[in-house]
């Protein structure tokens, strides 16, 4: 049984190395859906709607990164390990950000994510997220969204969890940071909780311009906490700009670092030269 499983996984890894762009993404969603389906009964029986489910399942889901040949270099692990309630803000590039989150969850442990409501209906993944303590926000209903953000703030304040938010509000296919929305900073100031910036470097091994999907490295940089004690809601704009500038500086630096390590005609760079 185990031998057959190992042979299957090795075959899958080899097949993925040569599979075309769309096939790889299809297989990625299939694998994630399969693992979500497998985890749902355990989540539902043991600690339903608890962030601990993400921590426990992360040790299995880290295997997906190995299958697709993605290496994660994490800088600032000691900040992730601090048992301190905070709002973690990260740039959002594509669905592979989930793999990065699962890769660092073993250091975060007690972390709850915030996602748009539409993701909940992407079953089985959405259901597994809900059973893992994810808070879904209805962006089209401001009153409901405020209520949901208050629940997120309550959970962070009462249970001491890290609240993971993508402040850009949507996936960003360009290799630059988009302006941040105010929700995460509103919650942080309301709870007087610090901001923990997390920067994902560009996925140079994935290029939607020419359908390239190879293997490669992603650098995740965790920046020092930015305190909000003493700030009021009038300071949201200033805090928002401060965090964006710090993250954008790091994003630019790690982007250059990775680009310089790649061959000049690397397929992952095609179509992005004008953005960098």
């Amino acid at each position: 049984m185990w031998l057959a499983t190992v042979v299957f996984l090795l075959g899958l890894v080899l097949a993925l190395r040569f599979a075309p762009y769309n096939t790889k993404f299809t297989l990625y969603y299939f694998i994630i859906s399969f693992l979500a389906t497998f985890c749902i009964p355990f989540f539902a029986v043991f600690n339903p709607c608890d962030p601990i489910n993400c921590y426990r399942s992360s040790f299995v889901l880290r295997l997906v990164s190995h299958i697709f040949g993605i290496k994660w270099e994490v800088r600032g692990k000691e900040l992730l390990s601090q048992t301190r309630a905070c709002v973690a803000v990260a740039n959002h590039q594509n669905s592979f950000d989930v793999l990065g989150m699962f890769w660092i969850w073993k250091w975060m442990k007690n972390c709850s994510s915030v996602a748009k409501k539409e993701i909940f209906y992407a079953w089985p993944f959405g259901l597994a997220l809900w059973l893992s303590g994810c808070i879904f926000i209805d962006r089209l209903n401001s009153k409901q969204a405020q209520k949901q953000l208050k629940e997120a703030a309550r959970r962070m304040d009462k249970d001491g969890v890290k609240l993971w938010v993508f402040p850009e509000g949507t996936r960003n296919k360009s290799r630059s940071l988009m302006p941040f929305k105010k929700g995460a900073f509103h919650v942080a100031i309301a709870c007087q909780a610090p901001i923990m910036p997390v920067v994902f470097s560009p996925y140079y091994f994935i290029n939607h311009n020419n359908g390239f999907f190879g293997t490669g490295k992603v650098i995740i940089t965790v920046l020092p906490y930015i305190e909000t004690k003493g700030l009021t809601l009038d300071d949201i704009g200033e805090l928002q700009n401060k965090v964006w500038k710090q993250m954008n500086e790091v994003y630019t630096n790690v982007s250059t670092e990775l680009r310089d390590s790649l061959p000049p005609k690397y397929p992952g760079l095609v179509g992005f030269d004008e953005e960098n």
Side-chain angles (χ1 to χ4, degrees), residues 33-250:
S33 297
F34 172 79
L35 292 174
T37 303
F38 176 79
C39 291
I40 284 172
F42 296 96
F43 291 174
V45 174
F46 305 103
N47 306 106
C49 301
D50 192 319
I52 195 65
N53 288 327
C54 278
Y55 168 71
R56 290 170 178 167
S57 61
S58 67
F59 293 94
V60 176
L61 290 165
R62 284 162 67 97
L63 294 173
V64 181
S65 292
H66 294 296
I67 291 173
F68 283 87
I70 302 174
K71 296 180 180 178
W72 304 92
E73 179 183 330
V74 185
R75 301 173 179 177
K77 291 192 286 285
E78 67 282 358
L79 297 168
L80 291 171
S81 301
Q82 292 186 20
T83 55
R84 186 181 182 189
C86 67
V87 178
V89 295
N91 55 310
H92 190 19
Q93 298 176 101
N94 62 38
S95 56
F96 279 85
D97 294 340
V98 173
L99 295 184
M101 291 173 67
F102 280 118
W103 193 264
I104 64 177
W105 225 296
K106 74 172 184 178
W107 294 293
M108 293 192 296
K109 194 170 185 177
N110 195 18
C111 179
S112 183
S113 57
V114 175
K116 58 185 179 182
K117 186 184 72 173
E118 292 80 0
I119 292 179
F120 172 74
Y121 299 106
W123 283 29
F125 180 69
L127 178 58
L129 270 185
W130 179 71
L131 288 169
S132 301
C134 181
I135 298 170
F136 295 96
I137 304 296
D138 186 351
R139 298 182 300 174
L140 301 180
N141 186 330
S142 59
K143 288 185 178 180
Q144 187 66 17
Q146 289 176 6
K147 181 180 177 181
Q148 291 156 341
L149 282 173
K150 285 182 179 179
E151 166 59 20
R154 182 205 65 77
R155 184 177 298 183
M156 180 179 64
D157 193 40
K158 178 177 179 292
D159 301 331
V161 304
K162 290 179 174 63
L163 197 65
W164 186 285
V165 183
F166 292 115
E168 291 168 296
T170 188
R171 297 176 189 175
N172 180 10
K173 290 185 177 181
S174 67
R175 288 173 180 166
S176 60
L177 295 190
M178 295 194 302
F180 290 167
K181 298 184 183 298
K182 296 181 178 180
F185 306 96
H186 188 286
V187 171
I189 290 177
C191 296
Q192 295 290 280
I195 298 283
M196 183 180 72
V198 182
V199 181
F200 285 66
S201 66
Y203 298 152
Y204 282 124
F205 52 90
I206 300 176
N207 190 341
H208 62 85
N209 290 318
N210 60 0
F212 173 70
F213 193 153
T215 61
K217 182 175 80 170
V218 182
I219 299 173
I220 300 177
T221 308
V222 185
L223 304 183
Y225 286 75
I226 297 175
E227 300 295 338
T228 63
K229 286 184 178 180
L231 299 183
T232 68
L233 296 181
D234 292 333
D235 299 310
I236 286 180
E238 183 178 346
L239 177 64
Q240 195 176 352
N241 291 332
K242 179 180 180 180
V243 175
W244 187 92
K245 286 179 180 178
Q246 287 191 17
M247 292 179 64
N248 187 61
E249 180 180 359
V250 172

Side-chain angles (χ1 to χ4, degrees), residues 2-13:
W2 286 106
L3 180 59
T5 302
V6 170
V7 171
F8 171 77
L9 289 175
L10 287 175
L12 181 61
V13 170

